[in-house]
Amino acid sequence: MIRVEWDRKFEVGHERIDFEHKIFLGLIRQASLLPETDTPRERVLRHLDEVKKYALFHFTSEENIMFDVAYPDVDKHSREHAVLLALLDERTHQYKNGDILLDNIVSFLFEWFALHTTQVDTKLAKYIARDQDSRV
Ligand SMILES: [Fe+2]
């Protein structure tokens, strides 16, 4: 079982985004702590639905921030969000059919989160910080 924990390297330096990331990661952590054999599949699926809905909310919120600051990479960044949602749907479906374990979904989500926050969201936060600096 993968250990899902918040790390300072995930901080992007934007208060709202970091706040939402902590909740998102908290949901992934909660999934990692669900006992695979003792948790009814239906309950796991309800949790995965919560993860998906929060991801959708958080991505919308991040994309709105991008629009507000006229972020040049908004399309590319938003595509990454859409891909995550599609892959999560696919994996949830596989889990439902008993083709993969919850553990696989947790690893997938945590790896995506780590990569996306440190590489993609960090760029956005830096752009916003620069944008604010130039207005002062
Ligand atoms: Fe993002």
Side-chain angles (χ1 to χ4, degrees):
M1 179 64 78
I2 188 168
R3 209 176 150 83
V4 177
E5 265 174 4
W6 181 264
D7 189 289
R8 280 205 65 180
K9 73 174 181 218
F10 299 141
E11 264 166 40
V12 300
H14 183 282
E15 203 182 336
R16 169 82 188 263
I17 295 175
D18 283 330
F19 176 78
E20 290 180 8
H21 280 170
K22 281 181 184 153
I23 296 175
F24 187 37
L25 191 72
L27 289 169
I28 300 172
R29 180 176 161 78
Q30 210 182 324
S32 79
L33 299 174
L34 285 175
E36 185 99 45
T37 46
D38 298 333
T39 312
R41 197 171 292 268
E42 267 313 304
R43 180 64 189 92
V44 172
L45 287 167
R46 285 197 69 88
H47 186 71
L48 292 174
D49 188 44
E50 191 178 341
V51 172
K52 186 192 166 177
K53 282 176 175 147
Y54 193 80
L56 192 60
F57 159 78
H58 166 60
F59 294 160
T60 305
S61 151
E62 231 180 58
E63 286 157 22
N64 285 345
I65 292 171
M66 291 190 241
F67 281 113
D68 289 344
V69 298
Y71 188 53
D73 278 344
V74 60
D75 289 344
K76 199 171 146 211
H77 191 142
S78 304
R79 260 200 305 278
E80 285 217 14
H81 292 165
V83 168
L84 182 274
L85 291 169
L87 290 175
L88 179 58
D89 266 352
E90 195 182 294
R91 279 163 176 71
T92 301
H93 191 72
Q94 289 170 328
Y95 173 81
K96 206 173 179 174
N97 291 337
D99 295 334
I100 57 168
L101 298 172
L102 173 61
D103 221 17
N104 300 117
I105 302 185
V106 169
S107 305
F108 157 71
L109 285 170
F110 190 44
E111 277 160 26
W112 186 89
F113 177 87
L115 214 68
H116 184 83
T117 49
T118 56
Q119 296 187 5
V120 182
D121 292 335
T122 305
K123 265 189 215 159
L124 168 63
K126 277 187 186 149
Y127 179 85
I128 297 169
R130 254 202 320 265
D131 194 47
Q132 279 164 351
D133 284 349
S134 65
R135 283 186 206 170
V136 178

